[in-house]
Amino acid sequence: MVKLKPSLLLAVILSLCALPLFSHSFERKVVQEKQQQTFYYTWFDDQDKEQKLSFSYSNDQLFNHYRRFKGFNAQEYLDKIDIKVRNTIREFDRRKYTLETQRKERSIEYKVYSDDKALLKELEARVEKAKQSARKSYLRKHHYADLEAIWAIDAVRPDLPRFVKNSYDYISPIREAILTKFGNNVRPKTVINFVLSWVQAMPTSELPDRFHNSGENFKPPLKLIRQQYGDVDSKLVLTSAILKAIYPRLTIAIITSPNHALIGLNLPIRKGDKHVEINGLKYLVGEVTGPKQYPIAEVSSSSWSMLKSKQYIVDII
């Protein structure tokens, strides 16, 4: 038997932990047909019942939808802010003020010094305005947004609500396949549980620390379909986009915690249903990660503890 050195053994363990989590009951087949690809899925739901789904996408759709999205580049982000600030104050006499800069991991701070109080006041206002303008512009261009939570200061994340809203049209083949399968007379919860079980059955990749590795493993919906696995945020966006495309009037809550994310659906509550109240409205909560299967209104014990602790933020769609 070959013995590994402690350092090598640790590297192997870490590598294995970073691999996507696969469900043994999940099968996916992709067939290339001229300029399109057809996806065939088979899996077992929470009732251990076999489920199937298939749909087709053109290669153009699959490979062009958000294909330039990438993990957040903190240094590029700070460089853009710094350039904007320095260009903004070039019109002022450099001999009359001093500008000091302090870079942190995800933020940049400026301190202006001047004996001229009026000039100092104007410079401080200009610097702050330029800083915020560059910051918002960069985040929007790269499809990121602030993660406004007390547990994530100066952190950003993929703009999940925007990805959901901009993906409705791209979800059409999946939407049509589901509607064809169930017709118009089935209860919404039946469709919702079908979608949840499919997404839960997909392999799940690790969600990196939200502060240090924003968007590293995030995949927009069609990239998730193409590559077949993604982190919890990726699965949450895909699920929300599908359900919103099928039920446009359904209000959805994206519930984000430091280490996880859940979906919330504004639907009638029955006794025993796991739910949260947001702005006076009740939302059934659901898992999207898997591989364990949970129907809507049932979540893991760790997820329920997170919800009860109120350590989460919410986006309503």
Side-chain angles (χ1 to χ4, degrees):
M1 178 178 177
V2 179
K3 292 185 177 180
L4 297 176
K5 293 182 178 180
S7 59
L8 182 57
L9 179 60
L10 177 60
V12 171
I13 292 173
L14 290 175
S15 296
L16 288 173
C17 291
L19 291 174
L21 189 59
F22 286 82
S23 168
H24 296 296
S25 61
F26 178 81
E27 292 183 7
R28 171 182 178 266
K29 179 182 177 182
V30 183
V31 177
Q32 179 72 50
E33 303 168 300
K34 296 183 179 179
Q35 297 303 312
Q36 74 172 23
Q37 294 184 34
T38 300
F39 298 81
Y40 298 90
Y41 296 88
T42 303
W43 71 98
F44 289 85
D45 62 18
D46 66 291
Q47 301 297 315
D48 206 30
K49 180 180 178 181
E50 186 179 74
Q51 299 288 357
K52 293 179 180 291
L53 179 66
S54 64
F55 49 83
S56 299
Y57 271 100
S58 70
N59 290 337
D60 184 61
Q61 286 177 307
L62 277 176
F63 292 97
N64 285 297
H65 179 53
Y66 287 118
R67 66 187 177 88
R68 290 189 173 88
F69 178 80
K70 59 184 180 180
F72 189 75
N73 187 326
Q75 291 308 308
E76 181 183 73
Y77 164 69
L78 296 179
D79 286 344
K80 293 293 185 183
I81 292 175
D82 199 41
I83 291 170
K84 176 74 172 179
V85 168
R86 294 184 185 280
N87 285 341
T88 297
I89 60 176
R90 275 183 177 177
E91 64 184 83
F92 297 95
D93 188 342
R94 187 66 182 82
R95 296 168 296 179
K96 294 183 178 181
Y97 70 90
T98 300
L99 180 68
E100 291 185 358
T101 304
Q102 182 182 13
R103 282 200 184 209
K104 299 180 181 178
E105 189 169 358
R106 287 291 175 88
S107 65
I108 185 166
E109 302 299 330
Y110 295 94
K111 186 68 177 178
V112 186
Y113 299 93
S114 177
D115 294 330
D116 185 331
K117 291 184 178 180
L119 175 63
L120 178 62
K121 185 176 181 179
E122 183 172 1
L123 279 168
E124 288 177 337
R126 291 281 194 98
V127 166
E128 184 61 22
K129 184 177 180 180
K131 174 183 170 182
Q132 296 304 326
S133 174
R135 183 172 153 280
K136 290 179 180 178
S137 176
Y138 184 90
L139 293 179
R140 179 156 187 82
K141 179 181 178 181
H142 293 85
H143 296 86
Y144 278 87
D146 287 309
L147 182 54
E148 298 176 351
I150 59 174
W151 38 264
I153 303 208
D154 291 331
V156 299
R157 64 167 179 176
D159 192 341
L160 305 185
R162 185 178 173 197
F163 275 109
V164 172
K165 293 172 185 176
N166 290 350
S167 296
Y168 295 157
D169 291 342
Y170 294 93
I171 294 301
S172 292
I174 303 174
R175 173 184 179 274
E176 295 306 315
I178 293 172
L179 290 178
T180 298
K181 180 180 182 69
F182 287 100
N184 297 318
N185 297 319
V186 68
R187 294 170 62 246
K189 280 189 179 180
T190 300
V191 175
I192 289 166
N193 283 331
F194 175 81
V195 174
L196 284 179
S197 70
W198 173 50
V199 176
Q200 288 168 10
M202 291 179 185
T204 303
S205 57
E206 180 185 6
L207 176 70
D209 180 276
R210 290 191 185 279
F211 183 82
H212 296 285
N213 300 288
S214 299
E216 182 178 293
N217 284 346
F218 178 77
K219 293 180 174 66
L222 296 195
K223 187 174 182 181
L224 172 57
I225 293 298
R226 195 173 76 242
Q227 296 187 356
Q228 83 160 318
Y229 68 90
D231 64 15
V232 62
D233 288 351
S234 309
K235 287 186 164 193
L236 182 56
V237 167
L238 175 64
T239 305
S240 300
I242 292 171
L243 294 182
K244 196 73 175 178
I246 295 174
Y247 303 112
R249 299 165 82 177
L250 175 64
T251 303
I252 295 177
I254 289 178
I255 303 169
T256 305
S257 76
N259 306 307
H260 197 36
L262 299 168
I263 192 169
L265 305 177
N266 181 221
L267 291 170
I269 309 294
R270 298 183 307 179
K271 185 177 180 180
D273 284 347
K274 299 294 186 185
H275 66 278
V276 293
E277 187 168 320
I278 303 167
N279 298 328
L281 297 177
K282 293 180 178 180
Y283 291 79
L284 297 178
V285 289
E287 300 276 6
V288 295
T289 47
K292 184 174 181 179
Q293 295 278 312
Y294 290 95
I296 191 63
E298 291 185 24
V299 295
S300 68
S301 58
S302 59
S303 292
W304 187 238
S305 295
M306 176 270 289
L307 290 170
K308 290 195 294 184
S309 71
K310 305 292 185 183
Q311 290 295 305
Y312 59 84
I313 60 173
V314 176
D315 294 285
I316 301 297
I317 301 175

Coordinates of all heavy atoms in Angstrom, one line a residue, residues 164-205:
V164 N -32.1 36.3 -13.3 CA -33.5 35.6 -13.4 C -34.3 36.4 -14.4 O -34.8 35.8 -15.3 CB -34.2 35.6 -12.0 CG1 -35.6 35.1 -12.2 CG2 -33.5 34.7 -11.0
K165 N -34.4 37.7 -14.3 CA -35.3 38.5 -15.1 C -34.8 38.4 -16.6 O -35.6 38.4 -17.5 CB -35.3 39.9 -14.6 CG -36.0 40.1 -13.3 CD -35.9 41.5 -12.8 CE -36.5 41.6 -11.4 NZ -36.3 42.9 -10.8
N166 N -33.5 38.4 -16.8 CA -33.0 38.4 -18.2 C -32.9 37.0 -18.8 O -32.5 36.9 -19.9 CB -31.6 39.0 -18.2 CG -31.6 40.5 -17.9 OD1 -32.6 41.1 -17.9 ND2 -30.4 41.1 -17.7
S167 N -33.4 36.0 -18.1 CA -33.3 34.6 -18.6 C -34.7 34.1 -19.0 O -34.7 33.0 -19.5 CB -32.7 33.7 -17.5 OG -31.3 34.1 -17.3
Y168 N -35.7 34.8 -18.8 CA -37.1 34.3 -19.1 C -37.1 33.8 -20.5 O -37.6 32.7 -20.8 CB -38.1 35.4 -18.9 CG -38.3 35.9 -17.5 CD1 -38.9 37.1 -17.3 CD2 -38.0 35.1 -16.4 CE1 -39.1 37.6 -16.0 CE2 -38.1 35.5 -15.1 CZ -38.7 36.8 -14.9 OH -38.8 37.2 -13.6
D169 N -36.7 34.6 -21.5 CA -36.8 34.2 -22.9 C -35.9 33.0 -23.2 O -36.3 32.1 -24.1 CB -36.4 35.3 -23.8 CG -37.4 36.5 -23.8 OD1 -38.5 36.3 -23.3 OD2 -37.0 37.6 -24.2
Y170 N -34.8 32.8 -22.6 CA -33.9 31.7 -22.8 C -34.4 30.4 -22.2 O -33.9 29.3 -22.5 CB -32.5 32.0 -22.3 CG -31.8 33.2 -23.0 CD1 -32.0 34.5 -22.5 CD2 -31.1 33.0 -24.2 CE1 -31.4 35.6 -23.2 CE2 -30.5 34.0 -24.8 CZ -30.6 35.3 -24.3 OH -30.0 36.4 -25.0
I171 N -35.4 30.5 -21.3 CA -35.9 29.3 -20.7 C -37.0 28.7 -21.5 O -37.5 27.6 -21.2 CB -36.4 29.7 -19.3 CG1 -35.2 30.2 -18.4 CG2 -37.2 28.6 -18.6 CD1 -34.2 29.1 -18.2
S172 N -37.5 29.3 -22.6 CA -38.6 28.9 -23.3 C -38.6 27.4 -23.7 O -39.7 26.7 -23.5 CB -38.8 29.7 -24.6 OG -39.1 31.0 -24.3
P173 N -37.5 26.8 -24.2 CA -37.6 25.3 -24.5 C -37.9 24.5 -23.2 O -38.6 23.5 -23.3 CB -36.2 25.0 -25.0 CG -35.7 26.4 -25.6 CD -36.3 27.4 -24.6
I174 N -37.3 24.9 -22.1 CA -37.6 24.1 -20.9 C -39.0 24.3 -20.4 O -39.7 23.4 -20.0 CB -36.6 24.5 -19.7 CG1 -35.2 24.3 -20.2 CG2 -36.9 23.8 -18.5 CD1 -34.1 24.9 -19.2
R175 N -39.5 25.6 -20.5 CA -40.9 25.9 -20.1 C -41.9 25.1 -20.9 O -42.8 24.5 -20.4 CB -41.1 27.4 -20.3 CG -42.6 27.8 -20.1 CD -42.7 29.3 -20.4 NE -44.1 29.8 -20.2 CZ -45.0 29.7 -21.2 NH1 -44.7 29.1 -22.4 NH2 -46.2 30.1 -21.0
E176 N -41.7 25.1 -22.3 CA -42.6 24.4 -23.2 C -42.6 22.9 -22.9 O -43.6 22.2 -23.0 CB -42.2 24.7 -24.6 CG -42.4 26.2 -25.0 CD -43.8 26.7 -24.7 OE1 -44.8 25.9 -25.0 OE2 -43.9 27.8 -24.2
A177 N -41.4 22.3 -22.6 CA -41.3 20.9 -22.4 C -42.1 20.5 -21.1 O -42.8 19.5 -21.1 CB -39.8 20.5 -22.2
I178 N -42.0 21.4 -20.1 CA -42.7 21.1 -18.8 C -44.2 21.3 -19.0 O -45.0 20.4 -18.5 CB -42.2 22.0 -17.7 CG1 -40.7 21.7 -17.4 CG2 -43.1 21.9 -16.5 CD1 -40.0 22.6 -16.4
L179 N -44.6 22.3 -19.7 CA -46.1 22.5 -19.9 C -46.6 21.4 -20.8 O -47.8 21.0 -20.6 CB -46.3 23.9 -20.6 CG -46.0 25.1 -19.7 CD1 -46.2 26.4 -20.5 CD2 -46.9 25.1 -18.5
T180 N -45.9 21.0 -21.8 CA -46.3 19.8 -22.6 C -46.5 18.6 -21.8 O -47.4 17.8 -22.0 CB -45.3 19.6 -23.8 OG1 -45.3 20.8 -24.6 CG2 -45.8 18.4 -24.6
K181 N -45.6 18.4 -20.9 CA -45.6 17.2 -20.0 C -46.9 17.2 -19.1 O -47.5 16.2 -18.9 CB -44.4 17.1 -19.2 CG -44.3 15.9 -18.2 CD -43.0 15.9 -17.5 CE -42.8 14.7 -16.6 NZ -42.6 13.5 -17.3
F182 N -47.2 18.4 -18.5 CA -48.2 18.4 -17.5 C -49.6 19.0 -18.0 O -50.6 18.8 -17.3 CB -47.8 19.3 -16.3 CG -46.7 18.5 -15.5 CD1 -45.4 18.8 -15.6 CD2 -47.1 17.6 -14.5 CE1 -44.4 18.2 -14.9 CE2 -46.1 16.9 -13.8 CZ -44.8 17.2 -13.9
G183 N -49.6 19.7 -19.1 CA -50.8 20.3 -19.5 C -51.2 21.5 -18.6 O -50.4 22.0 -17.8
N184 N -52.4 22.0 -18.7 CA -52.9 23.2 -18.1 C -53.7 23.0 -16.8 O -54.0 23.9 -16.1 CB -53.7 24.1 -19.0 CG -52.8 24.6 -20.2 OD1 -51.7 24.9 -20.0 ND2 -53.4 24.5 -21.4
N185 N -54.1 21.7 -16.5 CA -55.0 21.5 -15.4 C -54.3 20.9 -14.2 O -55.0 20.3 -13.3 CB -56.1 20.6 -15.9 CG -56.9 21.2 -17.0 OD1 -57.2 22.4 -17.0 ND2 -57.3 20.5 -18.1
V186 N -53.0 20.9 -14.1 CA -52.4 20.3 -13.0 C -52.1 21.4 -11.9 O -52.0 22.5 -12.2 CB -51.0 19.7 -13.4 CG1 -50.0 20.8 -13.8 CG2 -50.4 18.8 -12.4
R187 N -52.1 20.9 -10.6 CA -51.8 21.9 -9.5 C -50.4 22.5 -9.6 O -49.5 21.7 -10.0 CB -52.0 21.1 -8.2 CG -53.4 20.6 -7.9 CD -53.4 19.7 -6.7 NE -52.9 20.4 -5.5 CZ -51.8 20.1 -4.8 NH1 -51.0 19.2 -5.2 NH2 -51.5 20.8 -3.7
P188 N -50.3 23.8 -9.4 CA -49.0 24.4 -9.5 C -47.9 23.7 -8.6 O -46.8 23.6 -9.0 CB -49.2 25.8 -8.9 CG -50.6 26.1 -9.3 CD -51.4 24.8 -9.1
K189 N -48.3 23.2 -7.4 CA -47.3 22.5 -6.6 C -46.7 21.3 -7.2 O -45.6 20.9 -7.0 CB -47.9 22.2 -5.2 CG -47.9 23.4 -4.3 CD -48.3 22.9 -2.9 CE -48.3 24.1 -1.9 NZ -48.7 23.7 -0.5
T190 N -47.5 20.6 -8.1 CA -47.0 19.4 -8.8 C -45.9 19.8 -9.7 O -44.8 19.2 -9.8 CB -48.2 18.8 -9.6 OG1 -49.2 18.4 -8.7 CG2 -47.7 17.5 -10.4
V191 N -46.1 20.9 -10.5 CA -45.1 21.4 -11.4 C -43.9 21.9 -10.6 O -42.7 21.6 -11.0 CB -45.7 22.5 -12.3 CG1 -44.6 23.1 -13.2 CG2 -46.8 22.0 -13.1
I192 N -44.1 22.7 -9.6 CA -43.0 23.2 -8.7 C -42.2 22.1 -8.2 O -40.9 22.2 -8.2 CB -43.6 24.1 -7.6 CG1 -44.2 25.4 -8.2 CG2 -42.6 24.4 -6.6 CD1 -45.1 26.1 -7.2
N193 N -42.8 21.1 -7.6 CA -42.0 19.9 -7.1 C -41.2 19.2 -8.2 O -40.1 18.7 -7.9 CB -42.9 19.0 -6.3 CG -43.3 19.5 -4.9 OD1 -42.5 20.3 -4.3 ND2 -44.5 19.2 -4.5
F194 N -41.8 19.1 -9.4 CA -41.1 18.5 -10.5 C -39.9 19.3 -10.8 O -38.8 18.7 -11.0 CB -42.0 18.4 -11.7 CG -41.4 17.9 -12.9 CD1 -41.2 16.5 -13.1 CD2 -40.9 18.8 -13.9 CE1 -40.6 16.0 -14.3 CE2 -40.3 18.3 -15.1 CZ -40.2 16.9 -15.3
V195 N -40.0 20.6 -10.9 CA -38.8 21.5 -11.2 C -37.8 21.4 -10.1 O -36.6 21.2 -10.4 CB -39.3 22.9 -11.5 CG1 -38.1 23.8 -11.6 CG2 -40.2 23.0 -12.7
L196 N -38.2 21.4 -8.9 CA -37.3 21.4 -7.7 C -36.6 20.0 -7.7 O -35.3 20.0 -7.5 CB -38.1 21.5 -6.4 CG -38.5 22.9 -6.0 CD1 -39.2 22.9 -4.7 CD2 -37.3 23.9 -5.9
S197 N -37.3 19.0 -8.0 CA -36.6 17.6 -7.9 C -35.6 17.5 -9.0 O -34.5 16.9 -8.8 CB -37.6 16.5 -8.0 OG -38.2 16.4 -9.3
W198 N -35.9 18.1 -10.2 CA -34.9 18.0 -11.3 C -33.7 18.8 -11.0 O -32.5 18.3 -11.2 CB -35.6 18.6 -12.6 CG -34.7 18.7 -13.8 CD1 -33.8 17.8 -14.3 CD2 -34.5 19.9 -14.6 NE1 -33.1 18.3 -15.3 CE2 -33.5 19.6 -15.5 CE3 -35.1 21.2 -14.6 CZ2 -33.1 20.5 -16.5 CZ3 -34.6 22.1 -15.5 CH2 -33.7 21.8 -16.5
V199 N -33.8 20.0 -10.5 CA -32.7 20.9 -10.2 C -31.9 20.3 -9.0 O -30.6 20.3 -9.0 CB -33.1 22.3 -9.9 CG1 -31.9 23.1 -9.5 CG2 -33.8 22.9 -11.1
Q200 N -32.6 19.7 -8.0 CA -31.9 19.1 -6.9 C -31.1 17.9 -7.3 O -30.0 17.6 -6.8 CB -32.9 18.7 -5.8 CG -33.6 19.8 -5.0 CD -34.7 19.4 -4.2 OE1 -35.0 18.2 -4.1 NE2 -35.5 20.3 -3.7
A201 N -31.6 17.2 -8.3 CA -30.9 16.0 -8.8 C -29.6 16.3 -9.5 O -28.7 15.4 -9.6 CB -31.8 15.1 -9.6
M202 N -29.5 17.5 -10.1 CA -28.3 17.9 -10.8 C -27.1 17.9 -9.9 O -27.2 18.2 -8.7 CB -28.5 19.3 -11.4 CG -29.4 19.4 -12.5 SD -29.5 21.1 -13.1 CE -30.8 21.1 -14.3
P203 N -25.9 17.6 -10.4 CA -24.7 17.7 -9.5 C -24.5 19.1 -9.0 O -24.8 20.1 -9.8 CB -23.6 17.3 -10.5 CG -24.2 16.5 -11.6 CD -25.6 17.1 -11.7
T204 N -24.1 19.3 -7.8 CA -23.9 20.6 -7.2 C -22.4 20.8 -6.9 O -21.7 20.0 -6.3 CB -24.7 20.6 -5.8 OG1 -26.0 20.4 -6.1 CG2 -24.5 22.0 -5.2
S205 N -21.9 22.0 -7.3 CA -20.5 22.3 -7.0 C -20.5 23.2 -5.8 O -21.6 23.7 -5.3 CB -19.9 23.1 -8.2 OG -20.6 24.2 -8.5

